[in-house]
Structures are given as C-alpha cells and as structure tokens.
C-alpha cells in the first residue's frame, strides 16, 4: 500500500512544484488513500491544503506527521510549525503561539521567527512582538518577512517613520510581498501622497493572495476605493 501511495505522492509533488495545483491535489488525495508515507509529500500536501483554505484537513495531516515516531525530529518540527498555522486559521491562536514558543526554545530558524513574530502582532501583544521582532532582525536582517513583521509592529504602535523604513527595506528584497505593499499604501495615504498609495495598493491587488495570506483582497479593494474617492474629490476642488 505504501509504495502505491508514495508513487501518487511523487506525482502530486511533481505537479505541485510546477504550479499544477489541481492535479497535485488529486494525486496527493489518491496518495493518502493508498497510505502515502513519505513525509515530504505529506508536508507538501498539508501546505497545499493550507493555501487552499482547507485548514481542518491540513491540521489532520500535520498532526499525523508530528506524532509519527518514524520521522526525524527535523520533519516533525516542520510539521509542528505548519500545524501552528492551521490552528491559527481555525481560530486557536493561543495554541498556535504556544507551539511556536516550544519550537523557538529548541532551535532558531527564520521560519520560526517569521511565523511567531507575525502571530504575536495578530494576538495584539505589541510590546512582546516588538522585542521578538527586533531579535528576529538581529538574527536575519535580509529576510523580507521578518522585516515586514517589525514594520507592522511599528505601524500598529503608531510609529510610522520606523514602520516605513522597514517596509521599504522589505520591499527592496521582495517586491511582490502583499502585506508590505498594502501597508506602504496605507502610510502613503496618511502622508497625503494618494497617487503613490494607489500605485502600491494596485500592485498589492495583483499579487498572489490565498487563504493563508495575512492581507485579503477585500481589504485592499476597500482601501483602493477610499483612495480613488479621495482622488476624485480633490480633482473637483
């Protein structure tokens, strides 16, 4: 059974890395039905489920990897990190944060800093988020997600000058990061530079946005409508 399942898993992964996501999903599902055991295929399937908004199924996949003693600690740690994302999207941010704290106590990686750094902002623990994200930037000051997290922390604290500086650095490293573009648009709007704000938000709207994204297409659309209204009003004066 495992052999057939892993063949389907390989086909799913083959399609997955070539962005043929519907085919990948079908092969992964067939793989699971035939006892797919290779952890890289299970983890990839779980990530695809996360990005398609199937959070409960993703949670079950990552949980099955986490509790399986056959897998290496590195594999189970990756499952735990992804499992935290499923819990967050299912509304249990406290469990998600605690899982990430446990991982952080065991090791330091950019992925852990990225994920926990954002969830602390989402939880509203801004003082703790600031301390953690400053630590994260010391760990890796060329990671656009880490820089974006620190910028968002400053933004939520009303420190727009500091926020803008880190958002701009994040954008210089990854120009299609939707949250960076969105918040830069918001900052330009607050500065009165409506045309620049519109450009950033239109670029954000064109980014790849999925259910795992931290900024929704609806939020961008709403902000664009505000700015377009303001631009039209100013042209009539």
């Amino acid at each position: 059974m495992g052999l057939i399942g892993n063949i389907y898993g390989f086909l799913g992964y083959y399609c997955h890395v070539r962005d043929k996501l519907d085919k990948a999903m079908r092969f992964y599902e067939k793989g699971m039905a035939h006892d797919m055991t290779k952890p890289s295929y299970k983890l990839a399937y779980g990530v695809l489920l996360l990005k398609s908004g199937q959070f409960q199924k993703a949670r079950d996949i990552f949980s099955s990897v986490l509790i399986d003693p056959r897998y290496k600690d590195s594999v189970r740690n990756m499952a735990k990190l992804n499992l935290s994302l499923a819990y967050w999207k299912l509304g249990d941010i406290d469990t998600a944060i605690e899982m990430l704290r446990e991982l952080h106590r065991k090791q330091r990686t950019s992925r852990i800093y990225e994920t926990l750094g954002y969830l602390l902002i989402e939880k509203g623990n801004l003082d703790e988020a600031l301390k953690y994200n400053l630590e994260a930037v010391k760990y890796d000051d060329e990671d656009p997600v880490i820089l974006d997290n620190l910028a968002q922390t400053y933004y939520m604290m009303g420190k727009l000058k500091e926020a803008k500086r880190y958002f701009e650095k994040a954008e210089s490293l990854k120009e299609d990061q939707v949250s960076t573009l969105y918040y830069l648009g918001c900052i330009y709007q607050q500065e009165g530079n409506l045309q620049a704000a519109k450009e950033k938000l239109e670029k954000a709207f064109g980014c790849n946005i999925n259910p795992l994204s931290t900024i929704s297409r609806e939020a961008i659309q709403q902000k664009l409508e505000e700015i377009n209204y303001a631009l039209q009003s100013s042209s009539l004066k």
Side-chain angles (χ1 to χ4, degrees):
M1 291 287 286
L3 176 61
I4 296 172
N6 287 332
I7 291 172
Y8 281 126
F10 169 79
L11 293 171
Y13 191 77
Y14 180 87
C15 293
H16 193 167
V17 298
R18 287 160 179 77
D19 211 31
K20 299 177 180 179
L21 303 184
D22 290 338
K23 282 187 175 181
M25 186 72 81
R26 290 197 293 271
F27 280 126
Y28 284 142
E29 288 171 350
K30 287 181 178 180
M32 291 302 296
H34 291 83
D35 193 27
M36 181 171 72
T37 57
K38 192 165 182 178
S40 58
Y41 301 155
K42 282 189 170 184
L43 292 175
Y45 176 43
V47 169
L48 188 57
L49 289 169
L50 282 177
K51 290 185 175 181
S52 64
Q54 300 182 62
F55 303 124
Q56 290 184 338
K57 286 182 73 172
R59 180 194 61 191
D60 294 343
I61 293 295
F62 295 132
S63 294
S64 72
V65 175
L66 180 61
I67 64 174
D68 195 323
R70 294 176 296 175
Y71 300 139
K72 296 179 180 178
D73 285 347
S74 59
V75 169
R76 293 161 72 185
N77 287 341
M78 183 58 68
K80 192 170 188 175
L81 191 152
N82 288 323
L83 180 59
S84 74
L85 293 173
Y87 274 111
W88 163 48
K89 283 298 187 177
L90 288 167
D92 192 352
I93 193 170
D94 292 329
T95 295
I97 288 174
E98 182 52 37
M99 294 179 79
L100 290 164
R101 289 191 205 278
E102 290 171 0
L103 285 173
H104 181 82
R105 286 191 288 268
K106 292 169 62 178
Q107 61 179 327
R108 304 285 191 272
T109 70
S110 292
R111 279 291 310 281
I112 294 171
Y113 275 117
E114 290 170 0
T115 312
L116 180 53
Y118 178 75
L119 290 191
L120 290 172
I121 301 169
E122 186 80 0
K123 178 68 176 175
N125 299 338
L126 294 184
D127 289 336
E128 184 180 2
L130 179 60
K131 181 180 179 182
Y132 187 79
N133 287 320
L134 284 169
E135 177 187 325
V137 168
K138 288 182 180 179
Y139 176 83
D140 187 351
D141 65 357
E142 296 290 320
D143 184 307
V145 176
I146 286 174
L147 292 165
D148 182 85
N149 284 344
L150 181 56
Q152 283 195 51
T153 309
Y154 280 129
Y155 183 88
M156 299 302 175
M157 298 176 89
K159 298 180 178 181
L160 298 189
K161 183 178 178 181
E162 293 91 337
K164 185 178 181 182
R165 178 160 65 95
Y166 283 103
F167 280 132
E168 287 176 341
K169 185 172 181 182
E171 185 188 24
S172 73
L173 294 165
K174 185 173 174 58
E175 61 180 18
D176 62 347
Q177 188 160 256
V178 64
S179 55
T180 299
L181 294 166
Y182 173 80
Y183 283 109
L184 276 174
C186 292
I187 290 172
Y188 285 134
Q189 180 189 24
Q190 292 175 64
E191 292 176 342
N193 192 345
L194 298 181
Q195 191 58 47
K198 181 179 179 181
E199 289 171 5
K200 293 299 180 189
L201 289 163
E202 285 178 340
K203 190 173 180 181
F205 193 80
C207 290
N208 180 26
I209 299 173
N210 60 63
L212 200 56
S213 300
T214 59
I215 299 294
S216 69
R217 203 172 294 281
E218 291 75 20
I220 300 169
Q221 182 64 47
Q222 182 179 349
K223 187 61 67 173
L224 272 170
E225 289 173 1
E226 288 177 22
I227 290 169
N228 285 329
Y229 180 80
L231 284 168
Q232 291 170 6
S233 298
S234 64
S235 68
L236 295 174
K237 292 180 182 178

